[in-house]
Amino acid sequence: MADVSDTVVDAPALTLRDDGRRLVGLWMVLRPRLTRPNALVAFLIYLALGLIWNRASVAHLNSVCNCGLPGDPAEFAWSFDWFPHALLHGLNPLYSRAMWTPTGINLAGTTAGPFLAYLLAPVTGLWSAVVSYNVATILAPVTASWSAFLLCRYITKSPWAAILVGVSYGFSTYQAAELGGHLVLGVIFCPPLVALCVLKALDGVLSKRRTVIELAVLLLVQEFISTEVLTTMTVVGALCLLFAFCFASKEGRSRILAVLPLIVAAYGIMLVLSSWYVYELLKAPAYAKNVGFYGYPTDLLSFFTPNPPTWLGGQSFASVTGLYIGGTGETLSYVGLPMILIALHFTFTRWSTRAAKILAGTLVMTILWILGGHLVVAGRWTIWLPYSLIGRLPVFNEVMQGRVALELSLLCAVVLAMWLVRPGRRTVVRWCLAVLAVACVVPDFLVHAGFVWTNPTFFRTNMYKHYLRPGETIMPITWGGFSESPMWQGEDNFYWNMANGYFVYPPPAGWNNKLTADLWADVPTAGDGALLRQFVIQRHVSDVVVQQSELQKWAPTIRQSGLRATATVGGVTIYHVPASWLGHAAA
């Protein structure tokens, strides 16, 4: 095993020589006492950090979330309700007409992963989808940190170093940004576990059968959480194996070639078992096509400049982070100057080892992917980059390259762990620098505030049943990133359909016009009244329901459409569409 580890991952704790005999002897004595409880200790540490970070939502599980704008969280809360609802009612879980009625939506092509919804279905059933959303948000950084801990502990055989670097992955800049709205992109415990499984297979620790089974299960779970993360994880993992093969010894290459069929078999099993899902995914429109390549280039300064949620310096660089084209919500690559210097020191001082070459090569390719097709510095497009050659190819044109920062944070955690446990002097200095590197990337645990969900009494109670009939289509105002209507619908057990949505941007083909654009921006403009009348007729809308907070803004447009308020109750105003309008549409 020592030779394999030296060949593939060059784990420092497994390659100590004569100058480290005393350390080896001490380790052999202490190891049984240190390694048995450390997994539980690590989990409890991460759980404590998660509870502190999410304390607002912990105190108000049913009304507050650790998130940003309501649109994204509301759609994920909707999915927590939808998937169990579809299963219990014999509906196709991947296709819903409850949203964007009557057209409907293919959920396989969206970010609505079913795994979390089914896993937390008991919580949703007992309490609500909002509670499930909060539970998932609280546990996401905890499970991510713990899986990174398991990976780094295996590589370094140092539980305490692994506990420290696990924080840099589970509470990274990437994680802080994605948990602000993109829940499924923040549940990232699978990539480290996949890497751990492959390393154990290369070291001969796992049997062939167990390797295939464990990998297939992890891949299936990741697929049903986020196909985007599955894609980026697969590409970066393939790059890492490619560099490992290039730099490995003859024996190491033979072991890699022996494990490759097992990996292929696991992916094959995943595809077979999820063929129904893949079929729907291939049928779904490419909603995000080219968005990753064109929409959110990663600024070079983002690797060095703290994002606003970051603990150290997060509030001091607003003038720089404000220049990011993708905004701080889609610019996720901050790893901090200490981490960068440590990675460079690790690479140059250990370049003779295979691990340094493998990790350096993978890091360079990952960074080039994150940067995209052109180098952007302080919001300005500069030179051409190699990613332009592949950015428009299938798969790559549907992945937002900035989100590959997930793999960057994991690679940095592994480098930090291996650098930290290298035998020699200045151990205290190394630990101080490692703590500083982790402190530079974690969010500010003490000042983070939650977002208060808004659910009008009309929808929160059974009041809606007195004004709406089952199966009717309503048009809530507002739409898009400002709307929580998907959450209202889920909490009402899909009693009513809605002629809007948020999983698709822009609206489905044939829906996109000036009115839908204004609804999306929550800014009514001249001429929207006539378009609104046309819209409710074409989409068979029975009622337009407007939150009180939006009434003053949208009331003139609604009056221009010819609709008149029929009731103001429970925090909303209802505009019932005359039967003559709908009769005209049927005719």
Side-chain angles (χ1 to χ4, degrees), residues 95-106 287 504 508 511:
Y95 192 85
S96 175
R97 293 189 182 275
M99 182 182 288
W100 296 115
T101 308
T103 301
I105 182 173
N106 184 338
Y287 298 123
V504 185
W511 287 57

Side-chain angles (χ1 to χ4, degrees), residues 245-261:
F245 185 82
C246 292
F247 296 118
S249 64
K250 183 177 180 180
E251 181 185 356
R253 290 182 179 181
S254 65
R255 295 202 177 193
I256 292 173
L257 291 175
V259 169
L260 279 179

Side-chain angles (χ1 to χ4, degrees), residues 230-254:
L230 175 66
T231 301
T232 58
M233 173 187 75
T234 299
V235 174
V236 174
L239 287 172
C240 193
L241 278 177
L242 178 62
F243 282 111
F245 185 82
C246 292
F247 296 118
S249 64
K250 183 177 180 180
E251 181 185 356
R253 290 182 179 181
S254 65

Side-chain angles (χ1 to χ4, degrees), residues 388-433:
S388 294
L389 299 174
I390 63 172
R392 295 183 179 88
L393 296 178
V395 177
F396 287 99
N397 65 354
E398 294 189 54
V399 173
M400 295 188 184
Q401 73 269 4
R403 295 176 180 175
V404 186
L406 158 64
E407 285 74 22
L408 175 65
S409 64
L410 180 58
L411 288 168
C412 286
V414 172
V415 169
L416 180 60
M418 296 182 70
W419 176 86
L420 180 58
V421 300
R422 182 181 179 182
R425 301 176 181 178
R426 301 177 180 174
T427 302
V428 174
V429 174
R430 285 179 181 273
W431 271 93
C432 290
L433 291 175

Side-chain angles (χ1 to χ4, degrees), residues 1-321:
M1 185 187 302
D3 178 65
V4 178
S5 297
D6 181 61
T7 299
V8 181
V9 296
D10 196 25
L14 301 180
T15 57
L16 294 172
R17 298 295 182 247
D18 291 342
D19 58 349
R21 285 178 179 174
R22 293 184 179 181
L23 290 174
V24 173
L26 179 63
W27 170 250
M28 295 303 293
V29 174
L30 295 179
R31 181 180 177 183
R33 294 170 175 80
L34 294 177
T35 57
R36 289 175 185 172
N38 61 65
L40 177 60
V41 170
F43 185 84
L44 292 176
I45 291 173
Y46 302 144
L47 180 61
L49 291 175
L51 293 174
I52 293 171
W53 190 30
N54 293 276
R55 62 191 179 280
S57 55
V58 171
H60 306 280
L61 279 175
N62 204 29
S63 60
V64 175
C65 78
N66 181 359
C67 54
L69 285 176
D72 287 315
E75 69 175 359
F76 291 120
W78 179 92
S79 70
F80 281 122
D81 279 309
W82 167 256
F83 286 107
H85 171 84
L87 184 65
L88 293 174
H89 290 80
L91 304 174
N92 181 354
L94 297 180
Y95 192 85
S96 175
R97 293 189 182 275
M99 182 182 288
W100 296 115
T101 308
T103 301
I105 182 173
N106 184 338
L107 295 170
T110 70
T111 54
F115 176 79
L116 294 178
Y118 288 129
L119 180 68
L120 294 172
V123 177
T124 303
L126 289 173
W127 290 283
S128 70
V130 172
V131 175
S132 291
Y133 181 96
N134 280 329
V135 170
T137 303
I138 293 166
L139 292 180
V142 177
T143 55
S145 299
W146 197 61
S147 63
F149 156 79
L150 295 175
L151 172 64
C152 292
R153 184 185 64 173
Y154 177 78
I155 293 174
T156 66
K157 299 299 181 286
S158 172
W160 311 117
I163 288 175
L164 176 64
V165 301
V167 176
S168 71
Y169 175 72
F171 294 89
S172 63
T173 298
Y174 168 91
Q175 183 73 300
E178 295 299 3
L179 287 181
H182 306 148
L183 176 60
V184 295
L185 298 177
V187 181
I188 52 174
F189 63 86
C190 283
L193 296 182
V194 168
L196 177 60
C197 184
V198 172
L199 285 179
K200 285 184 175 181
L202 289 169
D203 283 348
V205 175
L206 293 182
S207 66
K208 293 181 179 180
R209 178 183 298 178
R210 186 172 174 182
T211 298
V212 173
I213 292 174
E214 288 190 9
L215 267 181
V217 169
L218 288 171
L219 294 173
L220 276 168
V221 170
Q222 184 58 72
E223 181 183 24
F224 292 135
I225 295 175
S226 170
T227 54
E228 185 173 357
V229 172
L230 175 66
T231 301
T232 58
M233 173 187 75
T234 299
V235 174
V236 174
L239 287 172
C240 193
L241 278 177
L242 178 62
F243 282 111
F245 185 82
C246 292
F247 296 118
S249 64
K250 183 177 180 180
E251 181 185 356
R253 290 182 179 181
S254 65
R255 295 202 177 193
I256 292 173
L257 291 175
V259 169
L260 279 179
L262 306 182
I263 298 174
V264 172
Y267 273 89
I269 293 172
M270 175 200 73
L271 292 174
V272 170
L273 294 180
S274 64
S275 56
W276 54 279
Y277 185 81
V278 175
Y279 174 73
E280 293 292 343
L281 177 63
L282 295 175
K283 286 194 335 182
Y287 298 123
K289 188 174 183 179
N290 288 326
V291 171
F293 186 62
Y294 296 109
Y296 302 113
T298 299
D299 202 294
L300 179 64
L301 298 182
S302 66
F303 292 92
F304 310 91
T305 309
N307 267 15
T310 309
W311 177 34
L312 297 180
Q315 302 300 320
S316 303
F317 295 89
S319 60
V320 177
T321 58

Side-chain angles (χ1 to χ4, degrees), residues 458 466-467 543-546 548 551 564-576:
F458 181 81
H466 299 292
Y467 296 88
D543 297 271
V544 176
V545 182
V546 187
Q548 289 300 111
L551 186 60
R564 296 294 179 265
T566 54
T568 297
V569 60
V572 303
T573 295
I574 304 169
Y575 294 84
H576 185 70

Side-chain angles (χ1 to χ4, degrees), residues 334-345:
Y334 175 67
V335 292
L337 186 59
M339 189 80 77
I340 293 172
L341 293 177
I342 287 172
L344 290 173
H345 184 267

